[in-house]
Amino acid sequence: MMGMYTHLSAKICERCQGNINLLGDELTKDMRTVKKEIILLINEWISNCKSPQILMDNMADSLMEATLLDYKNSMPQARDPEVINCIGVGF
């Protein structure tokens, strides 16, 4: 799931580089929607996780790396607050 998130992030950045108007393009909007749904699903899993150790062992590193790099590399208009919220929920 994090692989798909990372792939979509890279494609959105690549697609919109230098042309902010492409953020409103149908394909870009669809990719951003899938990214948001991945984050919401991970948020839900974190919120219902019965063992914080499982979270730390299996998800923490990849989640932090993918979300922070995405937020750093995205143009400000393409940044989603759900990304930061996910980190807040998990840690």
Side-chain angles (χ1 to χ4, degrees):
M1 199 172 342
M2 292 311 299
M4 176 61 92
Y5 180 89
T6 302
H7 178 74
L8 287 170
S9 295
K11 288 296 182 189
I12 292 167
C13 285
E14 179 184 303
R15 185 173 170 77
C16 296
Q17 191 174 35
N19 189 353
I20 194 168
N21 294 328
L22 286 176
L23 282 174
D25 177 66
E26 196 66 35
L27 178 59
T28 306
K29 289 187 335 188
D30 289 345
M31 289 190 293
R32 291 182 71 201
T33 298
V34 172
K35 272 182 49 181
K36 285 180 189 178
E37 291 299 319
I38 289 170
I39 288 295
L40 292 173
L41 183 60
I42 291 170
N43 246 352
E44 192 65 28
W45 184 77
I46 290 170
S47 296
N48 291 301
C49 185
K50 302 289 186 221
S51 172
Q53 192 60 43
I54 291 173
L55 173 63
M56 295 307 291
D57 291 345
N58 297 313
M59 288 287 294
D61 290 340
S62 62
L63 178 64
M64 291 291 284
E65 182 180 347
T67 54
L68 291 176
L69 277 175
D70 174 44
Y71 210 78
K72 176 186 168 212
N73 294 334
S74 294
M75 58 175 53
Q77 300 85 345
R79 292 179 181 155
D80 296 311
E82 292 88 357
V83 172
I84 299 300
N85 185 45
C86 183
I87 293 171
V89 168
F91 307 99

